[in-house]
Amino acid sequence: MNSITNLNTISHETALTDVSPTCLNCQNCSIKDYCLTPESVGGQLSELKHSVKKRRIIHKGHLLFLAGQPRRNAYVIRKGSIKCYDLDPSGKERVGDFHLTGEVIGLEDLDTSTHHCFAVALEDSEICEIPLLPLQNLLLSRAALCRELLSLTTCRVRQQRHLTKLVSQSEATARVANFILGMAQRLRLRCPDQSRFRLSMARNDIASYLGIQMETVSRSIGNLQKQGLINVRSKQIELCKPEQLALKYAFH
Amino acid sequence: MNSITNLNTISHETALTDVSPTCLNCQNCSIKDYCLTPESVGGQLSELKHSVKKRRIIHKGHLLFLAGQPRRNAYVIRKGSIKCYDLDPSGKERVGDFHLTGEVIGLEDLDTSTHHCFAVALEDSEICEIPLLPLQNLLLSRAALCRELLSLTTCRVRQQRHLTKLVSQSEATARVANFILGMAQRLRLRCPDQSRFRLSMARNDIASYLGIQMETVSRSIGNLQKQGLINVRSKQIELCKPEQLALKYAFH
DNA sequence: CGCATAGTTGACAGCACTCAAATGAGGTGG
DNA sequence: CCACCTCATTTGAGTGCTGTCAACTATGCG
């Protein structure tokens, strides 16, 4: 899917479907147990849950927000997954991040007034909207919340550093192996069988994210499969020997 | 210099020389005009300057702190430059960051109790120490300061993202060109002649930072020089045609 | 069922890595 | 101040991984 198509689809109001406000109660939410937890230090950050004002369905391929657009909300992904990307000078997509169910998106740009990337749904998804203006005010009064956000952001710096190292220092197969291990880890909480899961993103996206070509991703996956470490059928991934996969490729 | 040597030298008390506390006044500091400014949004962050409790000289090759060590202070570099690195499983150095005069170091790990990297002086340097315990308390009472730190950290996430992309997507010469352009930019404020400056780090370090080999750094520099874009004599860099250098290689 | 898109596989070329040797710079002691 | 030593840097030759281009196959959607 190219970005021009995306830019068109955003204008369709059908792209973002509001959910009846009656079911916004976080206490009753089906994912309340692991929502926000993967990144939260637990505690103050759950205050954010009380700031949810709107819930929306966003269909596969539709944009949640655009680079350059005024930043008004943060979002918690209630269901589905979101890809963040920007465009290089020639207009080609560059994937910067993947966000999965239960994760927050949009707090990264807290220090600026506009989004710095495009966010598109990788599958039919559902997001909870947190208006940032009230949040900013909340930050003024709740120092503890502010500190927790600070922790979260600091943690992101470290994660991003780790990615920089992974991507700059290891060969293609190791990058792919670590990508798969990372996905398994992030999906762990909400996946019944930890060793079987579905990648929501295209090979294309993985390639862009890892700084290699799609063909190389394909070959690397084939490589891992030939070694009997994983089993792949299209987007379905099965970890046959997770320990060995980690032992051989995990990047620290 | 390998890390074993470093680990030994840290035990020498001579490595860190305290400066007489009488000259700690930031108002009289020779670098007060650009200290903290490069990253600060200006304003609250300068409060940090009042938290400076100690000033130290740290000689070339000596460690400011070690990975795993309890984190007690943040540091402002008053003079010189600092390299941050960690060790890969085989014990090899991996450079994560360079910090120059006027920049803060140690706030990245604000959410953890220990340092995650080693910090070594690339040249004889001088640092101002900011104890973090009082700072944490300050954060509780000064929401504005906290928000500003939040902005700074968020900004770091973006910078790190940019590095991830640079390092994952461009070829060696482009990485080196961008590294040089970035250094020029960061040194701009305090350098009389913007187009001539001295790199304080070794080719080795640049290589590790950019995810390429030392020999490749060398060849890339040679490459840029052959094109007449820069002039290099050892660590001395001269930008002959900064605009053309940026035009051809700048990564966005 | 058919089309469009996504993913795989193959062939070949080029860039960067590795190993090795030569050159240059910086620091130390006489 | 110079000679020497050590380490940093450059340069060269050869190999291998990954990128590019192209053809083929699989998947998914209407």
Side-chain angles (χ1 to χ4, degrees):
Chain A
M1 159 141 355
N2 74 42
S3 45
I4 304 302
T5 318
N6 284 340
L7 288 171
N8 290 335
T9 53
I10 189 72
S11 60
H12 291 286
E13 268 314 305
T14 54
L16 300 175
T17 312
D18 286 7
V19 168
S20 151
T22 56
C23 50
L24 280 181
N25 192 334
C26 283
Q27 269 74 45
N28 301 336
C29 183
S30 60
I31 68 159
K32 72 167 159 29
D33 290 339
Y34 54 82
C35 178
L36 285 176
T37 51
E39 299 170 304
S40 128
V41 210
Q44 294 290 329
L45 204 62
S46 57
E47 285 222 26
L48 285 184
K49 296 190 187 181
H50 301 133
S51 308
V52 172
K53 286 292 173 290
K54 214 180 223 178
R55 203 187 281 162
R56 281 176 169 175
I57 289 168
I58 172 165
H59 291 289
K60 177 174 177 171
H62 287 109
L63 285 161
L64 180 57
F65 53 76
L66 289 78
Q69 209 180 33
R71 172 186 52 71
R72 295 203 183 86
N73 304 293
Y75 305 95
V76 182
I77 302 172
R78 187 166 179 275
K79 179 166 149 316
S81 48
I82 304 283
K83 168 180 82 172
C84 285
Y85 65 93
D86 64 2
L87 304 174
D88 73 9
S90 77
K92 223 183 93 198
E93 273 190 22
R94 290 188 301 199
V95 177
D97 255 321
F98 297 110
H99 298 277
L100 311 181
T101 303
E103 298 181 351
V104 209
I105 175 175
L107 290 178
E108 304 85 2
D109 293 334
L110 211 55
D111 59 328
T112 66
S113 61
T114 55
H115 292 291
H116 287 82
C117 63
F118 299 84
V120 66
L122 287 167
E123 57 198 317
D124 288 353
S125 304
E126 204 172 326
I127 51 100
C128 295
E129 202 172 285
I130 301 174
L132 283 175
L133 206 57
L135 181 64
Q136 301 272 16
N137 296 331
L138 193 62
L139 287 184
L140 282 174
S141 58
R142 306 294 297 260
L145 172 62
C146 189
R147 280 184 57 184
E148 204 158 332
L149 277 179
L150 190 52
S151 289
L152 188 143
T153 316
T154 309
C155 180
R156 286 249 171 120
V157 177
R158 222 178 3 262
Q159 289 170 357
Q160 193 66 30
R161 267 204 189 139
H162 186 260
L163 179 62
T164 306
K165 287 175 189 163
L166 168 67
V167 148
S168 72
Q169 292 178 16
S170 55
E171 58 169 12
T173 306
R175 295 189 207 183
V176 173
N178 275 281
F179 177 76
I180 291 173
L181 285 168
M183 278 295 155
Q185 167 117 34
R186 288 163 73 187
L187 291 166
R188 204 184 32 187
L189 288 168
R190 54 203 80 122
C191 217
D193 181 357
Q194 307 179 9
S195 63
R196 292 176 146 283
F197 56 93
R198 184 180 171 281
L199 295 175
S200 56
M201 65 292 294
R203 299 284 191 270
N204 235 342
D205 295 331
I206 301 175
S208 170
Y209 181 68
L210 294 176
I212 51 184
Q213 294 306 116
M214 185 187 54
E215 293 91 333
T216 306
V217 171
S218 199
R219 278 186 251 268
S220 297
I221 289 178
N223 195 348
L224 295 172
Q225 197 161 12
K226 241 178 289 176
Q227 294 181 59
L229 298 172
I230 62 174
N231 213 316
V232 183
R233 244 182 60 99
S234 179
K235 289 190 160 61
Q236 288 293 333
I237 304 281
E238 181 187 0
L239 303 185
C240 305
K241 303 172 179 172
E243 335 71 35
Q244 288 193 35
L245 184 65
L247 199 65
K248 179 156 186 189
Y249 291 108
F251 186 82
H252 299 290
Chain B
M1 157 140 359
N2 74 43
S3 44
I4 305 300
T5 318
N6 285 340
L7 289 171
N8 290 335
T9 53
I10 190 73
S11 59
H12 291 285
E13 268 314 305
T14 53
L16 299 175
T17 312
D18 287 6
V19 168
S20 152
T22 55
C23 49
L24 280 180
N25 191 333
C26 283
Q27 269 73 45
N28 300 335
C29 182
S30 60
I31 69 159
K32 71 166 161 29
D33 290 340
Y34 55 83
C35 178
L36 286 175
T37 51
E39 299 170 302
S40 126
V41 210
Q44 295 291 327
L45 205 62
S46 58
E47 287 221 26
L48 287 183
K49 296 190 187 182
H50 301 133
S51 308
V52 172
K53 286 291 172 290
K54 215 180 224 179
R55 204 187 282 163
R56 282 175 168 175
I57 288 167
I58 173 164
H59 291 289
K60 177 175 176 171
H62 287 108
L63 284 160
L64 180 55
F65 54 76
L66 289 78
Q69 208 179 35
R71 171 186 53 69
R72 296 206 183 83
N73 304 293
Y75 305 95
V76 182
I77 302 172
R78 187 166 180 274
K79 181 165 147 318
S81 49
I82 304 282
K83 168 180 82 172
C84 285
Y85 65 93
D86 64 3
L87 304 175
D88 73 9
S90 77
K92 224 184 92 197
E93 273 190 22
R94 290 189 299 200
V95 176
D97 255 320
F98 297 110
H99 298 276
L100 311 181
T101 304
E103 298 181 352
V104 208
I105 175 175
L107 291 178
E108 304 84 3
D109 292 333
L110 209 57
D111 58 329
T112 65
S113 60
T114 56
H115 291 291
H116 287 82
C117 63
F118 299 85
V120 66
L122 287 166
E123 56 197 317
D124 288 353
S125 304
E126 205 171 326
I127 50 99
C128 295
E129 202 174 284
I130 301 175
L132 283 176
L133 206 57
L135 181 64
Q136 301 272 14
N137 297 331
L138 194 62
L139 287 184
L140 282 174
S141 59
R142 304 294 299 259
L145 172 61
C146 191
R147 281 185 56 186
E148 204 158 333
L149 276 180
L150 191 53
S151 289
L152 187 143
T153 316
T154 308
C155 180
R156 286 251 171 119
V157 177
R158 222 178 3 263
Q159 288 169 357
Q160 194 64 30
R161 273 212 181 129
H162 185 259
L163 179 60
T164 306
K165 286 175 192 165
L166 168 67
V167 147
S168 72
Q169 292 178 14
S170 54
E171 59 169 11
T173 306
R175 296 189 206 182
V176 173
N178 275 281
F179 177 77
I180 291 173
L181 284 168
M183 278 296 155
Q185 168 116 35
R186 287 162 73 188
L187 291 166
R188 201 185 34 187
L189 288 167
R190 54 203 80 122
C191 217
D193 182 357
Q194 308 180 9
S195 63
R196 291 176 147 282
F197 56 94
R198 184 181 169 278
L199 295 175
S200 55
M201 66 293 294
R203 299 284 192 270
N204 234 343
D205 295 331
I206 302 176
S208 171
Y209 181 69
L210 294 177
I212 51 184
Q213 295 305 115
M214 185 187 54
E215 294 92 332
T216 307
V217 171
S218 197
R219 279 185 248 269
S220 297
I221 288 178
N223 194 347
L224 295 172
Q225 197 161 13
K226 240 178 291 176
Q227 294 181 60
L229 298 172
I230 62 175
N231 213 314
V232 183
R233 245 180 58 100
S234 180
K235 289 191 160 59
Q236 290 293 333
I237 303 281
E238 181 188 358
L239 303 184
C240 305
K241 302 171 181 173
E243 335 69 37
Q244 288 192 35
L245 184 64
L247 201 64
K248 179 156 186 189
Y249 290 108
F251 187 82
H252 299 290

